[in-house]
Structure formats: structure tokens, C-alpha cells
Amino acid sequence: MPWRDGTGPPWWHGKFRGCGYRLTASRQAILDVLSKTSKHLSAEDIYLKVHKIYPAIGLTTVYRTLELLVQTGMVFKFDFGDGKARYELSEGPRSIGHHHHLVCTGCGRIVDYTDFIDDEIELLNQTEKGLSKKYNFKITNHLIQFYGLCYRCQNIK
Amino acid sequence: MPWRDGTGPPWWHGKFRGCGYRLTASRQAILDVLSKTSKHLSAEDIYLKVHKIYPAIGLTTVYRTLELLVQTGMVFKFDFGDGKARYELSEGPRSIGHHHHLVCTGCGRIVDYTDFIDDEIELLNQTEKGLSKKYNFKITNHLIQFYGLCYRCQNIK
DNA sequence: TTTATTAATGATAATGATTGTCATTAACAT
DNA sequence: ATGTTAATGACAATCATTATCATTAATAAA
């Protein structure tokens, strides 16, 4: 399956049909928005962006589509503790764009990092294997976040 | 500082005074409940349990106390994707009770695991050190969750 | 191609966890 | 013992997310 190699249709085209879902304009628009950002968008952020391109869309559809995308593993849903969920396109824990987060508990700032990812991934693979066997889980993804204070919040009294 | 060694007052007594907070009956009751469970309680779960011992307490106070406990690092707030936050007493990522979670995306079942923790922790320490330096973050905690399907959900069509 | 089937959609209302308000109470420093 | 002020509880308000339901449109069937 072509994964964003620039040739042919976007990598997600086949994903829907295969599962019996329809590839609609709304869904394409949402995937488009997600694939063109590196930000951590909330459902409403996504709604607003999609709305510019495709004004007919409703917020409900955004929520519904995101749920579907999360279920099929195409999108990962994050919680950074600010009361709304954030969504990122997920090409799986082994993909190139995969990263983890550093979360400032003072101001909510989020830093994506890919440093150290290689070592982490290797260990995580092992852990995954062990956990899968012991608990009979079929593991599909993982979430790693570090919490702390960013340089700014360290210096605020 | 005594950390639940069984002698003297509960380990958290000093935590409050030191920060200028008052150690009230509500707060003690909430900490008591949290320290006596290994479940992943929501704010309402906690409210109901505390209410039995200390019926005067209000739900608002539970939320406020939990927020305080999270801020001071005594409690960790989790999101397992079911719409409500869960709280666990945190003695920090190096403590004995520290564990990570396996989350079933099918039914929401949560498995705590401590297996592999030692290797994980060692790598996480290194990563933490590297990240701290590079991004100038003062890291205080981390969150690790694996997502997948439990044995039951794997066999449901 | 036309038509039938049914998933997908949008508008709107409903839900429910969490937060804000404010008068009252109680910890604890003095 | 008393004053200061943080903490509390009842209640209202907020706001992200979900449910409802009539309508539309993507795909299969003819």
C-alpha cells in the first residue's frame, strides 16, 4: 500500500473501501487537514479548518469521522489535560513521523520530540512482545508522554 | 520524610503544611480512599467512597482537592478515553508501586503492569536526562500506555 | 445509466463531566 | 482565645462530546 510516497492517490484511499466504509468528501477533507499540519488539533480546530474548504460540513460529522479514524487506527487521540481531545494522523508507532510528547504542566505547552526515539522504540518493541504474550493483548499502539515544567514555567513564582 | 512506612502519621501529612496548604478532613479522607485502592477511580467514584466515611463532603471539593493533589504531584491524572478522568496516588516514577497501563481499545479494560518496568525505567531515565537538557524541561513524571485489544475483544466479530 | 439500498450527514437537542460563584465554615498563626 | 483567610458546599454555568432524526448521497443492483 502506498504510504504518502507522492505517487498515486493519497495513501488512505484504500483504507476505507477495505473496511466497508465510504470515502466521502468530508472524510477526505478531514484527512487532508490532518495530513497538512503538525499541530495538535482539537475537533473544533479541525472543524474550523475543514469548514473553510468545505463549508457544508458540520461539527458532528467531524466528531463522527474522527471517532472512525481513531477506531481504524488512522488517527491517534491524545489528551493533554486541557479538557479537549487532540488528534494526530497516525502512521503507526514504527513510521517516520512517529514522535512522543513533552507536556508542560504549568502552561500546557507541548513539545514533540523524536530524539531518543530509536532506543525507545527498540525497548518498546521488546516490552510490547512481552506484554502481548503475558496478557494476551494484541498491541497496536503506544503513548509516551513526559510531564514537567518548561523553561518559562520553572522561573515563575 | 516518612513514606508510608507504617510509623508515625501518614506520609502526606507534611506535604501540605510545607506548601502552605491546610490539611483538612476532606483532604485526608480523599487521600485515605486513594491510598486504599488499586483501582482507577474517577472523581465521582472517589466522591461516593469518601461520602460514606465523611458525608459532609461535596463533589466540588473532591474536584478541587484532586486538582491540588495533581498540581503538587501527589496524584496522577489519567485519561483512558472514556470521558472521565481517573486518579491514582503517585509516589513518583521511581517508587515501588509505579506501574504502566495496557488499555483495551475495544472494551476499555485496563491492565496495570509492572513487568519490564525496570528496563523501561532505566531507558526512561536516560531519555529524561536527554530531554531535560535539550528542551530545558524539568521533568517530574511520565505516562506510558500501550493500546490494543484484550483477548476477549480479539475474538469478537 | 437508472434505481434501490443504506451509510453518512447536518441541525439541533441532550448529556454529563468539570468549573465558577459566593456566602459560610473552620485551620491554624498569633 | 481570636483573627485571618484558605477551604468548603450548594448550586448554577460551561462546554466538549453524543444522541436523535429527517434528509442526502455513495455505492450496489438492475
Side-chain angles (χ1 to χ4, degrees):
Chain A
M1 182 188 302
W3 282 62
R4 301 227 255 161
D5 59 2
T7 71
W11 60 269
W12 57 71
H13 269 205
K15 273 277 195 187
F16 281 97
R17 305 276 177 88
C19 303
Y21 300 114
R22 296 173 181 178
L23 183 54
T24 64
S26 321
R27 290 173 178 176
Q28 291 216 51
I30 289 170
L31 280 163
D32 255 343
V33 163
L34 284 171
S35 71
K36 290 199 176 89
T37 188
S38 63
K39 301 216 180 73
H40 311 99
L41 302 178
S42 68
E44 195 176 8
D45 293 338
I46 293 167
Y47 167 71
L48 291 172
K49 278 182 186 293
V50 171
H51 193 265
K52 284 185 191 162
I53 309 166
Y54 186 74
I57 202 167
L59 181 56
T60 307
T61 297
V62 173
Y63 273 106
R64 267 188 303 228
T65 302
L66 288 171
E67 190 191 351
L68 176 66
L69 295 173
V70 169
Q71 288 304 322
T72 58
M74 299 171 73
V75 163
F76 202 89
K77 182 178 181 180
F78 290 91
D79 171 79
F80 295 133
D82 66 345
K84 47 190 127 185
R86 309 275 164 173
Y87 300 86
E88 280 185 40
L89 209 53
S90 160
E91 295 172 30
R94 271 105 176 152
S95 73
I96 296 195
H98 187 71
H99 58 267
H100 295 159
H101 298 288
L102 214 51
V103 181
C104 176
T105 53
C107 65
R109 178 193 313 263
I110 309 291
V111 174
D112 293 5
Y113 72 90
T114 52
D115 320 272
F116 321 107
I117 280 278
D118 289 345
D119 285 339
E120 279 186 37
I121 294 296
E122 192 182 318
L123 179 73
L124 291 172
N125 283 346
Q126 282 179 256
T127 307
E128 223 175 276
K129 212 171 283 179
L131 289 172
S132 286
K133 185 167 289 177
K134 175 156 184 183
Y135 297 104
N136 199 357
F137 252 71
K138 182 170 184 183
I139 294 176
T140 52
N141 215 334
H142 61 245
L143 170 68
I144 306 227
Q145 290 178 183
F146 284 93
Y147 295 90
L149 291 174
C150 69
Y151 61 97
R152 238 182 244 193
C153 291
Q154 284 169 53
N155 299 314
I156 291 171
K157 220 341 108 46
Chain B
M1 185 187 302
W3 281 64
R4 298 227 256 163
D5 60 0
T7 71
W11 60 270
W12 58 70
H13 269 203
K15 273 277 195 191
F16 281 96
R17 305 277 178 86
C19 302
Y21 300 115
R22 295 173 182 175
L23 183 55
T24 64
S26 321
R27 289 174 178 174
Q28 292 215 52
I30 290 170
L31 281 163
D32 255 343
V33 163
L34 284 171
S35 71
K36 291 200 175 89
T37 189
S38 63
K39 300 217 181 73
H40 310 100
L41 302 178
S42 68
E44 196 176 5
D45 293 336
I46 294 167
Y47 167 71
L48 291 172
K49 278 182 186 292
V50 171
H51 193 264
K52 285 185 191 162
I53 309 165
Y54 186 73
I57 202 167
L59 182 55
T60 309
T61 296
V62 173
Y63 273 106
R64 269 188 302 229
T65 301
L66 287 171
E67 189 192 352
L68 176 66
L69 294 173
V70 169
Q71 287 304 322
T72 58
M74 298 171 72
V75 163
F76 203 89
K77 183 179 180 179
F78 291 91
D79 172 81
F80 295 133
D82 66 345
K84 46 191 128 186
R86 309 275 164 172
Y87 301 84
E88 279 185 38
L89 208 54
S90 161
E91 294 173 31
R94 271 107 178 150
S95 73
I96 297 196
H98 188 70
H99 58 267
H100 294 157
H101 298 289
L102 215 50
V103 181
C104 176
T105 54
C107 64
R109 179 194 312 263
I110 309 291
V111 175
D112 293 5
Y113 72 91
T114 51
D115 319 273
F116 319 108
I117 280 277
D118 289 345
D119 285 341
E120 279 186 38
I121 293 297
E122 190 182 320
L123 179 74
L124 290 171
N125 282 345
Q126 282 179 255
T127 307
E128 223 175 276
K129 214 172 281 182
L131 289 172
S132 286
K133 188 168 289 179
K134 175 157 184 183
Y135 297 103
N136 199 357
F137 252 71
K138 180 169 183 181
I139 294 175
T140 52
N141 215 332
H142 62 245
L143 172 67
I144 306 224
Q145 290 177 183
F146 284 94
Y147 295 91
L149 291 175
C150 70
Y151 61 96
R152 242 183 239 193
C153 291
Q154 285 169 52
N155 300 316
I156 292 171
K157 220 342 109 45

